[in-house]
Amino acid sequence: MKLFDNIFIPFIAALALTVVGCNESKNSTKNSTENKAALSRETSAKVETPAVEGSKTIALANGASVTWIQDNEGKKFMPRELFSDASDSLYESLNMPAGLPASVSTFLVKTDGKYILFDAGLGAWGGQLLKRLDALKVNPDSIGLVYLTHFHADHIAGLVKNGSAGKMEKVFKNAAVYAGKVEYDAWMNDIPKNDLQKNIMALYKDSLHLFAFGDSLPHGVLAMDAVGHTPGHTAFQISNLLVIGDLMHGYALQKNHPEINSNYDMDKVKSAESRKRIMQYAREHKLLMAGMHLPPPGFAK
């Protein structure tokens, strides 16, 4: 989602997540004690840990977990003007005059005892990721991998913060950052107003890894071609989870009309094609989609 076309570096001003049974009567006392203990365990298992605001955790088929993290404050709606491809009659049939429910989201996967973050959110422009991570008791230094769907500012600005002497610093000091080579090359060479992207990539240059579509990445993550929104827009599959990035900005509209683009999509023909193909892939493989602009809590089947 292209929210910050006019942001340039320097970055200083703007940068200011039992079984219980019965035995013979001679063992009744022992059984009573065991029964009470079992009941206590059963009751405890039913008590859920209070949810962290702006988050939802789901178990994946491979034993990993994924946590949706809402990066924006409050409620978010995508305005009708964002969907020029949609006719008035189609849009009005949704009966959502205030706009289409949405979010700015990131997703945290825990697998093999490691943390993987998919996109980094808004950062200094109202991002809630670090606050949510703190509430989830996840230290940014413990995140070992960051996978980027694309380079729009609301997906990469959270990689950095304003440090000492006004210098931009890494947020995820120990993370390897994975980005698509097509996306990287486009922003470094072809797309204007790219100072933010260039500076962030330069900061992470020693931990930056570029991949190609179809590559199998660490922890069984598959990089998939989802181009159209940006030149190298990427979807990622891990187990039964499909991270779709900005494939949809208005889920209520686009889930049944994938031919409808948002005005943020750079190549509308390719964007619509990717949306149809990836949604069909998710249906065929019974995957859970995780989207950076899906309405809370960020998941869709």
Side-chain angles (χ1 to χ4, degrees):
M1 178 178 173
K2 197 171 183 181
L3 297 178
F4 307 105
D5 285 345
N6 299 317
I7 296 299
F8 291 88
I9 302 298
F11 201 64
I12 303 169
L15 285 176
L17 63 293
T18 292
V19 174
V20 176
C22 294
N23 288 325
E24 299 173 359
S25 59
K26 64 181 180 179
N27 294 323
S28 60
T29 302
K30 177 182 178 182
N31 287 345
S32 177
T33 301
E34 290 176 347
N35 290 352
K36 288 178 181 179
L39 181 60
S40 176
R41 289 195 296 272
E42 184 179 355
T43 302
S44 297
K46 291 180 180 178
V47 176
E48 296 183 359
T49 302
V52 171
E53 180 186 3
S55 73
K56 181 180 178 65
T57 300
I58 294 176
L60 298 180
N62 66 350
S65 66
V66 56
T67 299
W68 162 71
I69 300 176
Q70 181 175 316
D71 194 45
N72 63 287
E73 284 191 280
K75 295 181 179 180
K76 183 173 183 62
F77 298 91
M78 297 296 187
R80 190 270 178 274
E81 293 76 16
L82 184 59
F83 305 97
S84 298
D85 291 355
S87 66
D88 289 339
S89 60
L90 174 58
Y91 187 87
E92 289 166 5
S93 70
L94 301 174
N95 195 25
M96 294 181 176
L100 306 185
S103 67
V104 178
S105 299
T106 66
F107 294 88
L108 182 71
V109 169
K110 187 176 184 181
T111 182
D112 302 324
K114 306 292 184 182
Y115 284 115
I116 303 172
L117 184 66
F118 290 88
D119 285 352
L122 292 157
W125 289 284
Q128 304 298 300
L129 176 60
L130 294 182
K131 183 176 81 171
R132 307 283 195 227
L133 288 176
D134 183 63
L136 292 163
K137 301 187 183 329
V138 176
N139 190 314
D141 292 348
S142 69
I143 293 176
L145 292 162
V146 178
Y147 288 111
L148 300 176
T149 63
H150 64 295
F151 281 15
H152 279 156
D154 56 327
H155 299 260
I156 67 170
L159 288 170
V160 296
K161 63 182 179 180
N162 192 31
S164 59
K167 293 183 64 177
M168 191 166 64
E169 294 181 356
K170 290 182 179 181
V171 169
F172 305 105
K173 299 175 183 178
N174 300 316
V177 175
Y178 281 76
K181 188 176 188 305
V182 173
E183 184 77 357
Y184 178 88
D185 288 345
W187 282 94
M188 296 305 105
N189 301 308
D190 303 323
I191 299 175
K193 300 179 182 179
N194 59 359
D195 285 5
L196 175 65
Q197 287 75 14
K198 284 187 172 181
N199 280 275
I200 291 177
M201 291 303 110
L203 188 63
Y204 279 89
K205 65 180 180 180
D206 294 334
S207 55
L208 180 63
H209 302 264
L210 301 180
F211 59 78
F213 296 133
D215 282 357
S216 183
L217 306 174
H219 297 288
V221 174
L222 174 66
M224 298 175 61
D225 179 341
V227 301
H229 178 60
T230 60
H233 186 244
T234 304
F236 297 101
Q237 182 180 354
I238 176 170
S239 186
N240 61 315
L241 180 73
L242 187 62
V243 180
I244 62 171
D246 280 14
L247 200 69
M248 287 182 276
H249 289 79
Y251 178 69
L253 172 64
Q254 293 174 298
K255 65 179 179 179
N256 294 322
H257 294 277
E259 75 279 5
I260 301 295
N261 294 285
S262 84
N263 294 342
Y264 293 127
D265 295 331
M266 292 184 175
D267 187 321
K268 289 192 171 187
V269 173
K270 289 183 178 179
S271 180
E273 188 279 328
S274 288
R275 193 157 37 253
K276 294 173 185 178
R277 170 172 44 83
I278 290 174
M279 290 175 69
Q280 181 62 29
Y281 178 84
R283 283 191 293 268
E284 289 176 354
H285 294 83
K286 296 179 171 59
L287 302 179
L288 177 67
M289 294 189 295
M292 279 57 185
H293 298 301
L294 291 181
F299 297 109
K301 290 185 178 181

